[in-house]
Amino acid sequence: MLIQPQKLLVGLTGGIACGKSTALGILRKLGWKIISTDAIVADLFQKDYSFKKALQTKWGSVVFVNEEIDKKKIAEIIFNDQGAKTWLENLLHPLVRENWKRQANNSEEKNVVVEIPLLFEKKLEHLFQITICVQCQKKTQLRRLFDRGLTKAQSNARIDSQMSLTEKIRLADIVLLGDHSLLFLKQQIEYFHANNT
């Protein structure tokens, strides 16, 4: 599926807890169509019967609580077993990609941004006209992950499971600094918006 040529399609990525969701919110206020692959995944976990059935076949009732998928249990499994992680990604990613491409094509907005945490890991940069990486220092990531209720070990496991920020920065067309104030991030995004739309 080709994205309509008159649209500007931007891929947004970055490290965990670096400010990707905040950046998306700012772009939405500037009139962009925003698509979060995390939100698509959450929707699949909640509503997609065939996806739930595949998880049940693979892992049994251990990954369900009251017939709902136990995301914490799944996270525990995939962050401790690379084979399980690969299996889940192979199941999820084609469904997610088809969903965001459809949303991008059907959007009335000319400017579309898709947040994909594993954009570079999955070599998807060729699908976008511009790629943006939101980055911050590791101590900031850790502090934000602690605030989300993760332990130091869990936080480090999630950070280490992704491509290094240094590599993401090298691959991205534009880098946003997510360490500082919300105002500073907003100013960077407004500058990007003014110069690219």
Side-chain angles (χ1 to χ4, degrees), residues 50-126:
S50 58
F51 175 69
K52 285 184 173 185
K53 189 78 184 151
L55 293 187
Q56 189 165 23
T57 304
K58 176 77 173 170
W59 289 311
S61 59
V62 70
V63 294
F64 287 86
V65 175
N66 300 328
E67 296 181 25
E68 294 299 320
I69 297 168
D70 184 348
K71 289 185 194 167
K72 283 188 176 173
K73 186 67 186 170
I74 299 240
E76 191 184 303
I77 292 169
I78 65 170
F79 283 111
N80 291 299
D81 179 347
Q82 187 55 48
K85 186 170 187 268
T86 302
W87 178 85
L88 184 61
E89 287 177 351
N90 289 340
L91 176 66
L92 264 178
H93 290 174
L95 298 171
V96 172
R97 199 169 307 153
E98 182 188 320
N99 188 304
W100 71 250
K101 282 186 173 182
R102 186 172 61 249
Q103 283 191 56
N105 259 327
N106 295 340
S107 75
E108 292 175 11
E109 296 89 345
K110 283 202 324 233
N111 302 321
V112 180
V113 59
V114 186
E115 179 214 2
I116 306 179
L118 301 178
L119 191 152
F120 295 125
E121 286 90 334
K122 297 300 168 190
K123 299 184 171 27
L124 302 177
E125 54 266 44
H126 66 283

Side-chain angles (χ1 to χ4, degrees), residues 43-56:
D43 206 49
L44 286 168
F45 269 67
Q46 208 172 357
K47 298 175 185 168
D48 192 299
Y49 175 77
S50 58
F51 175 69
K52 285 184 173 185
K53 189 78 184 151
L55 293 187
Q56 189 165 23

